[in-house]
Amino acid sequence: LDLARHVPGRLICNYGTADPLIPPGERSKVRAALVACDPGGQRLRDVELVGADHGFMCETRQSYNAEAAAVGWELLVKELRA
């Protein structure tokens, strides 16, 4: 998290609220670090997808969540086109 200020490009962190590997406290720390570096969220931001588990965007995983994956992919493609 200390390195967030050194990220030269755009960064979007997509994670699910049901992901046991990234608990709420850790998500809060990530958000705080990103906001501290980019208060307006123009370059660095995070998105929590409610109910999505770890690996929610991978179609071959049991945790795949089609609705959350669609949102995640839309956000990532938008960032790549920016």
Side-chain angles (χ1 to χ4, degrees), residues 69-80:
V71 171
W73 283 115
E74 182 179 336
L75 292 167
L76 290 173
V77 169
K78 182 180 176 181
E79 288 298 320
L80 289 172

Side-chain angles (χ1 to χ4, degrees), residues 5-16:
R5 63 193 158 128
H6 298 291
V7 174
R10 300 172 70 86
L11 174 69
I12 184 168
C13 299
N14 290 339
Y15 32 66

Side-chain angles (χ1 to χ4, degrees), residues 29-73:
K29 290 177 186 176
V30 170
R31 177 171 289 124
L34 298 180
V35 169
C37 296
D38 182 21
Q42 298 300 309
R43 218 174 41 78
L44 308 174
R45 58 186 227 154
D46 71 321
V47 176
E48 292 183 334
L49 294 132
V50 177
D53 199 347
H54 190 79
F56 69 90
M57 293 175 66
C58 180
E59 295 175 356
T60 61
R61 296 181 71 131
Q62 286 185 338
S63 58
Y64 176 67
N65 180 318
E67 186 176 323
V71 171
W73 283 115

